[in-house]
């Protein structure tokens, strides 16, 4: 719980003056994401602490280095939560307490199984304070639910992997916890499973997770107990779903990328595509999360063949973990888009010192 | 870049430009005469008017692209326009520029009920999407009050909200992919059919950028399942602060209403006189709380909310018994603006956002300030997310009244910032709030906005003069402020 923003500003200014790239590190739980970059490490984890939280406002403001675990515990005392079910990486953290930080989670835009229904961290961001590549401390967005003044440079931080600024403070919308969560599962093949998970998503039932793997569809209902129980009964009757008592552990493993199918010794590929896309032609079995919109496959694959399929399915594929991380790991972008992204980065980081090359070699 | 080879732009006359457009656009859609241009002189904020050089209504993407390329080569300002329902003069023409109307791009291209998406052109109205999706029991979430007329392209440009955004989010939360043209006429796709995309999230940046970064040519929106049931509770309170407390208490009960609106006594009386829906005209504040979800859930929540209202001193409670009654009760709220229009020759609608806990304080202070200026203010707002819409009543035929209304409006926005809020929740900055931007942002932040703008539009020809104030004007705007910031407060980023 300390404020080291002055020190962080000095680090960035020094780096700019000496044209010295920086590698921004929170709890270092997601070093595997993006491309390998070299740069002077700058640690943000010590810049931590919850600054403002009033349950009635549904808004929490914390320093970027605050651990998600601390935030979740604080929210839980008021029966509230981070609605995007982020991975905590709490076991894999290296020395720091409590795993993933808020800043790292936003930089990586990581959200759990409920993402299609409850939104992502990108959706919940209200405001960000950051240090740009000139060493200027800037505030974008705010601490209120709605704010359309100025360009939304707060939300644009999501998924930028630190390339658009060193985040120091983040304000988020938080939500009440559901009264009840109930997991169901059903034996079904892949193609039919994809259709069913999309059909269920189009109903007004309180579904908030749907994942297919190993010839089984797992769904979760969350909300008021009346609504969850009534919906679960209906789906048991209509489709033959059975209550899955091991559900809680399953969703946690999925959220933390710890399912056996996500073997950390193998390259892990992630598709982000149209949820209704037919089964992908890949080596090995897919884990199909987000009701079809996020699909995982591990092992050696033909990258170009995966990219073609992703494009056909209206989305993209990334080498998410493992493999060669000095090459490009994200789907190539058209020339005009590349140039625009470079210009945007340049507008915030003219000397290319903030995590250069982490997303793409050219960014 | 580098498409503009001319360091000093060659001047082109209105007739030459019209002739150039007339080569590929039906000349009746290239409007040069003042009379036909008249309807384009302003958007929904009619106090701000300007006549453009030309109005052009292309019908195809290719035509649109050529218009942009020509304008770019002559450095002619381009102001994109949907239905012109905006409330910040964001679509006010530029005297030397072209108004680019997207009205002819009004087709719904595809609805995919399984993927729950609709692919639409920018000129499609917000409501038309929900109407077309209704046969699949789906709808489009954001519902600005102007939804009958406003277009999805304009919604993307303004990041529009509406009555239901506390639960269902703003435009930015409900779109998957935007196809846009850059100022140079380059076609780009932001987002994808998936839930995220590789690289920087330009869609997040583009949404709400008020036509300053590019022109929307197609939008893939998310569709939501129509809830099984929705019920509306209307409760009167004998003070604004009692109603404000009730809003907070419902949220603390873990309930997120689909819509949570408040009206003050002026608005209640005006709305009731206008549509006669049975609002309690003696109440000082009225809450409209809509709950939706599965049938059992709604039943449970309605009871909970009603008992909170009762406990916190509601003077009347009415719960809609059927769809007809629900629609009728909403009608009062939805017609509140025109209703207020009947009790005053003119009104000026503001759009600040505040932390919910500041509601009673801000309304009290606003009333005091209005009294000082001898103006009346009616309040209709999204209480659930702290988005105020004070309606300042005035008479434009009385000299000096609009200036007074503007002064009060500016004071309200400054006060919103002073209590930790924002100068605009959903209407945008446009021309109207440009003088309040330096109240909310430091010079360094405004400079950063200009740099972002330059990354997309180096010549600054897309909707110039809107959204972001010129740096050289910021000090002057700050000098005019009515509320001085506390002394110890340093502006973000300005380290000694």
């Amino acid at each position: 719980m300390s404020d080291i923003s002055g020190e962080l500003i000095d680090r960035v200014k020094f780096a700019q003056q000496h044209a010295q790239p920086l590698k921004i590190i929170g709890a270092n739980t997601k070093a595997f994401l993006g491309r390998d970059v070299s740069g002077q490490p700058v640690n943000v984890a010590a810049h931590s602490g919850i600054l403002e939280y009033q349950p009635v406002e549904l808004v929490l403001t914390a320093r970027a280095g605050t651990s998600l675990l601390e935030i979740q515990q604080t929210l839980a005392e008021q029966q509230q939560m981070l609605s995007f079910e982020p991975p905590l990486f709490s076991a894999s953290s290296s020395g720091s307490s409590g795993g993933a930080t808020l800043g790292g989670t936003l930089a990586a835009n990581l959200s759990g199984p409920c993402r299609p229904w409850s939104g992502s961290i990108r959706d919940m961001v209200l405001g960000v304070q950051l240090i740009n590549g000139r060493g200027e401390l800037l505030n974008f967005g705010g601490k209120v639910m709605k704010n359309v003044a100025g360009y939304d440079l707060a939300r644009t931080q999501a998924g930028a992997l630190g390339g658009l600024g060193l985040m120091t403070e983040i304000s988020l919308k938080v939500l009440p916890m559901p009264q009840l969560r109930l997991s169901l599962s059903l034996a079904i093949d892949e193609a039919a499973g994809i259709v069913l998970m999309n059909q269920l998503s189009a109903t007004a039932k309180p579904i908030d997770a749907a994942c297919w793997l190993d010839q089984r569809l797992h769904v979760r209902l969350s909300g008021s107990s009346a609504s969850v129980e009534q919906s679960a009964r209906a789906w048991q009757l209509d489709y033959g779903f059975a209550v899955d008592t091991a559900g809680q552990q399953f969703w946690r493993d999925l959220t933390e990328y710890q399912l056996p199918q996500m073997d950390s010794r193998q390259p892990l590929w992630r598709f982000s595509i149209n949820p209704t896309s037919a089964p992908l032609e890949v080596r090995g079995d897919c884990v199909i999360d987000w009701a079809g919109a996020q699909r995982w496959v591990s092992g050696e694959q033909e990258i170009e063949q995966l990219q073609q399929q992703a494009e056909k399915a209206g989305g993209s594929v990334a080498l998410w973990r493992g493999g060669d991380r000095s090459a490009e790991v994200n789907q190539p972008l058209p020339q005009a888009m590349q140039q625009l992204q470079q210009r945007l980065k340049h507008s915030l980081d003219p000397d290319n010192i903030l995590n250069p090359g982490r997303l793409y070699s050219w960014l | 870049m580098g498409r503009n080879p001319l360091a000093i732009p060659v001047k082109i006359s209105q007739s030459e430009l019209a002739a150039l457009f007339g080569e590929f656009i039906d000349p009746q859609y290239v409007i040069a005469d003042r009379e036909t241009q008249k309807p384009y002189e302003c958007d929904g904020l009619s106090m701000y008017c300007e006549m453009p050089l030309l109005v052009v209504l292309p019908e195809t993407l290719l035509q649109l692209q050529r218009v942009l390329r020509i304008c770019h080569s002559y450095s002619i300002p381009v102001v994109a326009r949907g239905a012109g329902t905006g409330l910040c003069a964001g679509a006010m023409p530029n005297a030397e520029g072209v108004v680019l109307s997207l009205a002819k791009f009004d087709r719904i291209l595809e609805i995919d009920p399984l993927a729950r998406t609709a692919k639409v052109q920018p000129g499609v109205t917000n409501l038309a999407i929900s109407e077309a999706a209704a046969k699949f029991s789906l709808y489009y979430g954001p519902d600005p009050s102007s939804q009958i007329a406003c277009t999805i392209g304009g919604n993307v440009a303004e990041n529009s909200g509406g009555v239901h955004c506390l639960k269902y989010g703003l435009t930015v939360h409900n779109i998957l992919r935007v196809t846009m043209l850059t100022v140079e006429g380059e076609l780009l796709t932001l987002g994808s059919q998936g839930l995220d995309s590789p690289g920087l999230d330009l869609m997040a940046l583009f949404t709400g950028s008020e036509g300053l970064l590019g022109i929307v040519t197609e939008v893939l929106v998310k569709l939501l399942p129509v809830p099984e049931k929705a019920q509306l509770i209307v409760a009167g309170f004998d003070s604004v602060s009692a109603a404000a407390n009730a809003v907070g208490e419902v949220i603390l009960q873990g309930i997120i209403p689909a819509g949570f609106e408040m009206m003050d006594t002026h608005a209640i009386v005006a709305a009731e006189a206008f549509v006669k829906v049975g609002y309690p005209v003696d109440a000082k504040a009225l809450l409209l709380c809509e709950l939706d979800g599965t049938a059992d859930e709604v039943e449970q929540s309605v009871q909970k909310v009603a008992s909170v209202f009762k406990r916190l001193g509601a003077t009347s409670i009415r719960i809609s018994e059927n769809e007809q009654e629900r629609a009728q009760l909403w009608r009062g709220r939805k017609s509140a603006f025109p209703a207020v229009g009947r009790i005053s020759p003119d009104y000026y609608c503001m759009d600040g956002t505040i932390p919910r806990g500041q509601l009673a304080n801000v309304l009290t202070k606003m009333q005091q300030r209005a009294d000082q200026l001898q103006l009346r203010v009616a309040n209709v707002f999204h209480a659930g997310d702290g988005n105020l819409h004070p309606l300042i009543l005035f008479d434009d035929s009385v000299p000096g009244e609009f200036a007074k209304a503007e002064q009060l409006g500016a004071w309200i926005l400054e006060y919103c910032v002073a209590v930790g809020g924002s100068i605009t929740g959903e209407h945008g900055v446009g021309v109207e709030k440009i003088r309040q931007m330096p109240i909310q942002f430091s010079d360094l932040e405004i400079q950063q906005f200009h740099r972002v703008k330059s990354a997309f539009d180096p010549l600054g020809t897309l909707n110039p003069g809107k959204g972001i104030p010129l740096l050289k004007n910021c000090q002057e705007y700050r000098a005019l402020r009515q509320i001085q910031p506390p002394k110890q407060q340093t502006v973000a980023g300005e380290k000694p």
Side-chain angles (χ1 to χ4, degrees):
Chain A
M1 177 81 198
S2 60
D3 179 358
I4 59 160
S5 55
E7 203 177 299
L8 293 170
I9 291 168
D10 292 343
R11 283 296 305 275
V12 175
K13 281 185 174 161
F14 183 87
Q16 193 201 12
Q17 281 156 12
H18 297 83
Q20 173 198 78
L22 294 174
K23 185 174 177 177
I24 306 167
I25 297 172
N28 209 24
T29 58
K30 291 180 277 291
F32 64 89
L33 263 186
R35 299 176 65 255
D36 280 338
V37 293
S38 57
Q40 290 289 318
V42 48
N43 286 293
V44 187
H47 187 64
S48 67
I50 295 171
L51 299 173
E52 236 181 287
Y53 169 49
Q54 282 173 357
V56 67
E57 300 289 346
L58 299 176
V59 176
L60 176 138
T61 302
R63 295 199 183 100
T66 315
S67 82
L68 287 187
L69 210 57
E70 182 189 339
I71 291 172
Q72 285 195 327
Q73 282 163 357
T74 303
L75 293 172
E77 286 166 17
Q78 307 294 329
Q79 279 74 55
Q80 294 186 347
M81 60 173 191
L82 295 172
S83 58
F84 47 90
E85 209 176 0
L88 301 177
F89 297 99
S90 53
S92 64
S93 76
S94 51
S96 69
S97 64
T101 63
L102 180 57
T105 305
L106 178 55
N109 192 25
L110 295 186
S111 307
C114 69
R115 195 257 173 267
W117 300 273
S118 312
S120 57
I121 183 167
R122 174 249 198 208
D123 293 330
M124 295 298 142
V125 171
L126 300 173
V128 165
Q129 183 190 66
L130 59 83
I131 304 165
N132 69 7
R134 295 181 183 81
E136 299 164 346
L137 187 68
L138 309 173
N139 283 286
F140 300 110
K143 294 173 184 176
V144 285
M145 290 290 164
K146 287 160 88 179
N147 181 0
V148 293
Y151 302 122
D152 197 346
L153 284 168
R155 208 179 301 283
T156 311
Q157 299 302 317
L161 289 181
L164 296 181
L166 189 159
M167 288 183 270
T168 49
E169 274 177 39
I170 294 161
S171 295
L172 289 172
K173 178 177 176 181
V174 300
L175 283 174
M177 281 180 172
Q179 275 178 353
L180 182 66
R181 284 191 154 140
L182 196 66
S183 300
L184 304 172
S185 75
L186 172 75
I188 190 167
D189 71 35
E190 184 176 3
I194 291 169
V195 172
L196 182 57
M197 60 215 280
N198 278 285
Q199 284 169 340
L200 297 177
S201 302
T203 67
K205 301 296 183 196
I207 179 172
D208 85 331
C211 177
W212 181 94
L213 76 169
D214 280 346
Q215 308 300 316
R216 258 195 119 68
L217 174 59
H218 301 256
V219 300
R220 186 177 61 192
L221 294 157
S222 299
S224 77
S225 36
S227 153
V228 168
E229 278 161 6
Q230 181 236 327
S231 306
R233 275 195 303 276
W235 285 0
Q236 285 171 32
L237 284 173
D238 295 348
Y239 304 100
F241 273 102
V243 173
D244 181 1
T245 48
Q248 210 180 341
Q249 188 59 44
F250 170 76
W251 298 115
R252 195 173 305 144
D253 288 346
L254 176 63
T255 304
E256 299 290 338
Y257 318 101
Q258 282 178 351
L259 290 173
Q261 291 83 349
M262 297 169 155
D263 185 350
S264 61
R265 291 158 303 180
Q266 296 277 335
L268 183 62
W269 305 81
R270 173 184 182 265
F271 287 83
S272 177
I273 53 175
N274 182 318
T276 61
S277 309
L280 299 166
E281 286 164 31
V282 291
R283 285 196 210 114
D285 296 325
C286 267
V287 174
I288 304 180
D289 194 14
W290 291 3
Q294 174 172 257
R295 305 188 189 184
W296 302 93
V297 62
S298 68
E300 296 299 331
Q301 308 279 343
E302 294 291 331
I303 183 160
E304 274 165 29
Q305 200 258 349
L306 296 192
Q307 286 171 349
Q308 277 166 18
Q309 288 195 63
E311 209 166 311
K312 227 177 93 197
S316 60
V317 63
L319 176 56
W320 200 72
R321 186 170 65 192
D324 178 6
R325 309 212 69 86
S326 59
E328 298 294 357
V329 296
N330 286 308
Q331 187 110 356
L333 296 178
Q335 189 66 29
M337 178 56 86
Q338 261 190 45
Q339 287 173 356
L340 186 55
Q341 300 216 351
Q342 282 170 329
R343 293 204 297 263
L344 176 62
K345 162 124 174 117
H346 186 79
S347 79
L348 283 134
D349 179 20
D351 298 292
N352 213 24
I353 55 166
L354 302 173
N355 281 1
R358 186 90 191 247
L359 269 174
Y360 287 98
S361 62
W362 44 265
L363 194 65
Chain B
M1 256 194 273
R3 199 185 286 280
N4 178 39
L6 311 163
I8 302 160
V10 177
K11 281 276 176 198
I12 183 167
S13 72
Q14 186 202 40
S15 56
E16 285 168 334
L17 187 64
L20 212 49
F21 289 156
E23 285 174 18
F24 57 93
I25 294 175
D26 183 342
Q28 65 168 319
Y29 298 136
V30 180
I31 303 169
D33 72 284
R34 295 276 135 182
E35 200 180 326
T36 322
Q37 278 184 354
K38 192 75 179 156
Y40 295 90
E41 68 174 353
C42 66
D43 60 17
L45 188 62
S46 56
M47 289 81 106
Y48 294 83
C49 297
E50 184 73 85
M51 293 299 282
L53 185 70
L54 280 180
V55 177
V56 56
L57 294 87
E59 294 177 280
T60 67
L61 184 63
L62 214 60
Q63 290 175 353
L64 196 57
Q65 224 162 359
R66 288 180 72 176
V67 168
L68 283 168
R69 283 182 181 150
I70 289 169
C71 288
H72 186 244
S73 67
Y74 291 102
S75 293
I76 294 170
V78 174
V79 179
R81 182 183 176 98
T85 58
L87 291 170
C88 65
M92 186 185 87
N94 182 291
E96 278 97 48
V98 167
V99 168
L100 182 58
S101 168
L102 282 307
K104 304 235 166 260
F105 293 83
D106 61 352
R107 282 188 307 131
I108 295 176
L109 301 171
E110 190 186 341
I111 290 185
D112 183 339
L114 190 60
R116 291 146 281 128
T117 57
K119 187 164 86 175
V120 301
Q121 291 188 322
V124 170
T125 65
N126 174 294
L127 189 62
I129 302 174
S130 289
E131 284 173 349
K135 60 172 171 286
F136 305 108
S137 298
L138 298 170
Y139 75 107
Y140 176 63
D143 57 342
S145 301
S146 56
Q147 69 179 148
I148 301 173
C150 68
T151 63
I152 190 71
N155 288 179
V156 171
E158 300 296 334
N159 192 16
S160 307
V163 167
H164 290 96
C165 47
L166 179 64
K167 186 164 178 182
Y168 296 106
L170 306 158
T171 304
V172 72
H173 304 111
N174 286 280
I175 56 177
L176 287 167
R177 190 185 64 198
V178 170
T179 310
M180 62 164 275
L181 282 170
T182 66
V183 67
E184 294 113 340
E186 187 92 51
L187 193 67
L188 291 178
T189 301
L190 319 179
S192 72
Q193 294 175 52
L195 295 172
D196 47 38
S197 298
L200 303 173
D201 190 347
L202 296 191
M203 196 165 65
L205 187 65
F206 187 76
T207 309
S209 64
E210 303 193 12
L212 272 78
L213 304 184
I215 309 293
V216 181
T217 61
E218 189 187 288
V219 190
L220 184 70
V221 304
K222 289 184 202 172
L223 300 173
L224 300 168
V226 175
E228 282 177 10
K229 187 175 177 176
Q231 245 179 318
L232 182 64
I233 308 176
V234 178
F237 289 83
D238 57 14
S239 74
V240 163
S241 54
N245 285 341
V247 172
E249 189 55 31
V250 168
I251 305 273
L252 283 180
Q253 294 285 317
I255 296 169
I256 300 295
F260 211 168
E261 301 284 300
M262 197 194 288
M263 294 164 72
D264 73 359
T265 182
H266 293 304
I268 300 166
V269 171
E272 182 59 23
F274 188 39
V275 291
K276 297 185 181 56
V277 292
Y279 286 169
V281 287
D282 52 343
K284 292 281 182 291
L286 191 74
L287 289 181
L288 292 95
C289 179
E290 178 158 288
L291 298 153
D292 69 4
T294 60
D296 293 355
E297 181 184 13
V298 172
E299 218 161 277
Q300 233 178 33
S301 307
V302 164
Q303 290 316 315
K304 247 181 166 172
V305 171
S307 77
V308 167
F309 285 172
K310 217 170 282 170
R311 180 157 56 81
L312 295 179
T315 50
S316 67
I317 294 179
R318 187 164 155 196
I319 300 169
S320 69
E321 307 234 330
N322 50 49
E323 276 305 285
Q324 195 193 344
E325 190 180 4
R326 184 171 74 94
Q328 192 202 347
L329 287 171
W330 266 124
R331 212 151 57 85
R333 160 64 183 90
K334 289 191 172 167
S335 55
F337 287 14
V340 165
R342 292 191 350 148
I343 61 167
S344 171
D346 299 283
Y347 68 87
Y348 183 25
C349 175
M350 307 307 297
D351 172 48
T353 308
I354 55 169
R356 215 181 295 105
Q358 291 284 344
L359 219 49
N361 169 41
V362 171
L363 293 183
T364 309
K365 293 276 168 47
M366 192 192 299
Q367 191 57 56
Q368 288 167 0
R369 185 70 182 155
D371 290 346
Q372 283 169 7
L373 292 167
Q374 293 171 308
L375 288 169
R376 286 181 301 160
V377 179
N379 267 292
V380 180
F381 52 87
H382 311 303
D385 40 36
N387 188 188
L388 307 174
H389 289 317
L391 303 172
I392 302 170
L393 313 184
F394 71 101
D395 184 349
D396 204 18
S397 65
V398 178
E401 277 252 308
F402 179 56
K404 256 185 2 184
E406 263 192 316
Q407 192 190 346
L408 178 58
W411 181 90
I412 293 171
L413 299 187
E414 286 179 36
Y415 198 64
C416 288
V417 175
V419 299
S422 165
I423 59 171
T424 174
E426 57 185 4
H427 293 175
V429 174
V431 178
E432 184 209 14
K433 303 177 197 80
I434 206 150
R435 281 174 293 182
Q436 281 75 45
M437 280 294 279
I439 311 288
Q440 189 171 335
F441 294 101
S442 71
D443 281 359
L444 289 177
E445 286 152 2
I446 285 172
Q447 205 169 0
Q448 183 62 65
F449 288 145
H450 283 298
R451 291 189 172 118
V452 168
K453 163 78 168 167
S454 297
F456 284 78
D457 176 19
L459 301 177
T461 52
L462 285 178
N463 216 4
K466 317 280 175 67
I468 317 292
L470 294 175
L471 214 48
K472 62 174 185 193
N473 295 336
C474 288
Q475 276 318 319
E476 181 196 330
Y477 294 156
R478 285 196 195 101
L480 292 172
R481 71 178 134 196
Q482 301 168 59
I483 301 170
Q484 293 308 316
K487 284 236 159 50
Q488 69 276 18
Q489 189 185 324
T490 53
V491 179
E494 287 178 359
K495 293 267 156 178

